[in-house]
Every structure is written in C-alpha cells, then in structure tokens.
C-alpha cells in the first residue's frame, strides 16, 4: 500500500520506479483520516523470526540514496557504483556511535518510497566529524501535494521504549518549530541546496527571512518516524489474524499517546510513522554484522 504511487506525482522531481531499493516495508496500518495521520510499517516474519537481518540489509541498501547529493546520484555509473556505495556507507554510519542513524535512514526511505519525495539536502553534510550526531531536522525533503510544493522537515526516533521516544520527539517538535530555531535552520539549509535542484528557487524563497512564517507553516509537513520495541510484534512469529489485530490495537494506542504528548496547536501538518520492532538489539546486531562487510 502506498500513499501516493510514483505514477501519480504531478512533478518529475521525485524518484523514478527504478531509482529506489526494492521495497521491504509494508504499510500494515494506514489511516490518513486521522490528525496526525497514522502509518505503521512492518517487515513481518520469516521462518518463525522477526526479519531483523532483512531490515538491517535494507537500511544499508538505502545508504546511497540517503547520503549522496542529487547530482551525485545522477552520476551513478557502473564504473563508480562500488566507490560511491562505500563512500555513502562510511558517511552515513561513520564509526557506528550514532545509534539513531537507522531511524533517520528509514524516515528517508518512507518519505521516498511512499510519498515520492525529493531530497532537498542530505543532513550528513552537517556532520563535522565521523562520530557526530546529526543536528536539526533529521530529513529535509519536498513533496508535491497537487500543485503545491510542500517542505517536509522530518524527525526520527530509534528507541527501545515507545514512551521515551514520544517524549523525546514532543520536546524536539517544540524546539525545532520555535521561530528563532527555524530561521537559523533555514539559513543553514538554503545555503546547501544544490544549484541544479528543480525547485531550488522556490525552496530558497520559502526559507528567506522576508517570507512570513505564516506562509511557510502552511507548506510544512513534519513526518515523525518512531521505531520502538513492540509487544505485539515480539509476541508472534508469523502473520496471522491475531497478530494483525494486536498490532493495529497497539499502534492506535501509540497514536493516542503521541497526540496527547504533542502541542495540539502546532502550526504545521504532522504525520506519524511507526515501525514496531520485534527487538531493537536484534536489529542493531544485524546492522553491525552487515556494516562489518563494508569496513
């Protein structure tokens, strides 16, 4: 299930079908009628186990699209593929100390796969050292909704505890949508938009200090991605009616908890993406093993 198929996009700025890794995540629960809208993404099971290894491989598969500039992706030829892939993995995961990176990569993947977004900037370029955590918003994308260009400013949390993740993201939303913080972030972002970006001019105009934030807020979508350890996922070992019912009940409870935690008067559109994990440790262990092949 996709929120917007790539063929339905009104602009060619987003990805073509073959540009992205083969899909792994499925939207098992999707309720766009809610506010914030809700989407729960799953990888389900294989041979009686939650698919931690498959998800770890998928995270690494997305490193090229996540880390490379738009212009670099266009230059991805067979002769440079391995070189660019190695570079992308290195600048994405660094020395592995930033444990929130898988959430940021998966947020990027969801925006690209399900909504046909285009990367405005790659946040890895805000790192000053290989073990830095990313600063500011965890994703800066643009999406066409009809004829309107939206600015998607994402937040990602990769936690064991759902409650802790929601508490953290609620704090970040308050801080990152503050007028002074947002103006400072816009100044950094606008300066790094590729000159050949098809919407560079419009995006820079939106971020310019002369543009009222009232206009900007009408165009901002904040996709919030939360990966957490799920009781429903851990309690099952295959897809069945009981699993689907437990999962839907759990993510709808999470949506209520999220809604109660954030400011109901936020001036932007918020979308909630949940990834219920069978085990965070199983995923991080599988990711460490996958990355060892690149070191």
């Amino acid at each position: 299930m996709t929120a917007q198929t790539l063929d339905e996009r009104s602009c060619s700025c987003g990805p073509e079908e073959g540009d992205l890794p083969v899909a792994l995540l499925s939207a098992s629960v999707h309720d766009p009628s809610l506010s914030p809208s809700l989407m729960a993404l799953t990888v389900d099971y294989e041979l009686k186990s939650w698919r931690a290894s498959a998800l770890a491989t998928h995270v690494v598969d997305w490193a090229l699209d996540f880390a490379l500039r738009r212009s670099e992706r266009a230059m991805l030829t067979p002769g440079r593929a391995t070189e660019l892939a190695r570079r992308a993995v290195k600048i994405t995961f660094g020395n592995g100390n930033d444990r929130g990176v898988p959430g940021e990569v998966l947020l990027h993947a969801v925006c690209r796969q399900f909504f046909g977004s285009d990367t405005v900037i790659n946040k890895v370029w805000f790192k000053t050292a290989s073990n830095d955590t990313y600063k500011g918003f965890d994703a800066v994308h643009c999406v066409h909704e009809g004829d309107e260009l939206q600015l998607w400013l994402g937040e990602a949390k990769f936690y064991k505890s759902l409650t802790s993740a929601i508490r953290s993201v609620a704090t970040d939303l308050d801080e990152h949508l503050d007028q002074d913080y947002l103006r400072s972030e816009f100044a950094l972002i606008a300066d790094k938009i590729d000159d050949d970006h098809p919407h560079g001019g419009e995006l820079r105009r939106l971020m310019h200090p002369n543009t009222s934030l009232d206009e900007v807020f009408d165009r901002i979508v904040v996709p919030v991605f939360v990966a957490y350890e799920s009781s429903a996922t851990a309690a099952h070992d295959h897809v069945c009616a009981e699993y689907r019912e437990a999962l839907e009940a759990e993510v709808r409870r999470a949506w209520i908890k999220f809604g109660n935690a954030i400011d109901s008067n936020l001036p932007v559109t918020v979308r909630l993406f949940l990834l219920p994990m069978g085990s965070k440790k199983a995923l991080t262990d599988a990711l460490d093993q996958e990355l060892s092949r690149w070191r």
Side-chain angles (χ1 to χ4, degrees):
M1 177 193 305
T2 59
Q4 176 184 351
T5 66
L6 297 184
D7 290 339
E8 292 172 342
R9 290 183 284 109
S10 60
C11 177
S12 61
C13 64
E16 298 297 331
E17 196 70 45
D19 291 345
L20 305 180
V22 175
L24 175 70
L25 299 170
S26 298
S28 295
V29 179
H30 183 209
D31 193 341
S33 69
L34 297 175
S35 181
S37 63
L38 171 65
M39 182 182 285
L41 302 137
T42 60
V43 295
D44 297 329
Y45 308 93
E46 184 171 81
L47 301 178
K48 302 295 185 179
S49 296
W50 181 66
R51 300 179 71 193
S53 294
L55 184 54
T57 301
H58 195 59
V59 170
V60 176
D61 285 346
W62 274 96
L64 269 171
D65 196 79
F66 177 76
L68 298 185
R69 296 177 185 267
R70 180 187 178 90
S71 55
E72 289 177 311
R73 294 200 301 264
M75 296 168 55
L76 190 58
T77 60
R80 295 194 62 204
T82 302
E83 172 196 346
L84 288 175
R86 188 181 298 112
R87 176 168 172 261
V89 168
K90 181 176 181 180
I91 63 177
T92 297
F93 298 99
N95 57 15
N97 286 346
D98 185 352
R99 305 307 284 183
V101 168
E104 292 157 359
V105 175
L106 289 168
L107 166 64
H108 173 93
V110 171
C111 293
R112 296 277 279 163
Q113 176 186 334
F114 289 91
F115 296 91
S117 70
D118 187 30
T119 309
V120 176
I121 61 162
N122 308 78
K123 293 306 296 288
V124 292
W125 300 107
F126 284 85
K127 295 177 72 176
T128 57
S130 62
N131 60 347
D132 273 358
T133 55
Y134 302 163
K135 302 170 178 66
F137 290 101
D138 295 316
V140 183
H141 290 213
C142 61
V143 171
H144 273 95
E145 183 70 27
D147 293 331
E148 181 180 78
L149 184 69
Q150 297 176 340
L151 179 61
W152 283 39
L153 303 174
E155 300 281 359
K157 299 298 172 187
F158 182 64
Y159 277 49
K160 184 172 183 177
S161 164
L162 173 65
T163 299
S164 297
I166 288 175
R167 185 185 306 119
S168 178
V169 79
T171 299
D172 285 352
L173 285 175
D174 287 340
E175 292 178 354
H176 292 175
L177 295 175
D178 173 77
Q179 179 181 6
D180 290 341
Y181 185 97
L182 199 57
R183 287 297 188 193
S184 175
E185 184 80 350
F186 280 174
L188 291 171
I189 293 170
D191 188 51
K192 289 180 170 58
I193 298 174
D194 281 347
D195 291 336
D196 63 351
H197 193 286
H199 302 295
E202 175 65 5
L203 291 165
R204 290 189 186 95
R205 186 193 70 79
L206 277 176
M207 298 180 197
H208 195 279
N210 288 356
T211 302
S212 169
L213 285 179
D214 292 345
E215 176 185 350
V216 179
F217 282 143
D218 286 342
R219 310 266 293 272
I220 289 179
V221 174
V222 180
V224 174
F225 178 90
V226 177
Y228 68 97
E229 282 200 348
S230 160
S231 298
T233 304
H236 294 83
D237 61 10
H238 67 287
V239 176
C240 58
E242 292 79 9
Y243 160 68
R244 294 190 185 281
E245 291 171 8
L247 182 73
E248 177 148 6
E250 179 183 277
V251 299
R252 289 190 181 275
R253 288 193 301 270
W255 176 84
I256 292 172
K257 184 178 291 190
F258 177 75
N260 290 337
I262 66 172
D263 185 350
S264 60
N265 295 315
L266 288 175
V268 298
T269 299
V270 178
R271 293 179 179 268
L272 178 61
F273 304 139
L274 298 172
L275 177 66
M277 297 183 289
S279 165
K280 180 185 175 185
K281 184 178 187 302
L283 178 56
T284 55
D285 286 351
L287 185 58
D288 285 344
Q289 182 175 358
E290 181 70 23
L291 291 173
S292 69
R293 300 168 186 157
W294 293 88
R295 295 185 180 119

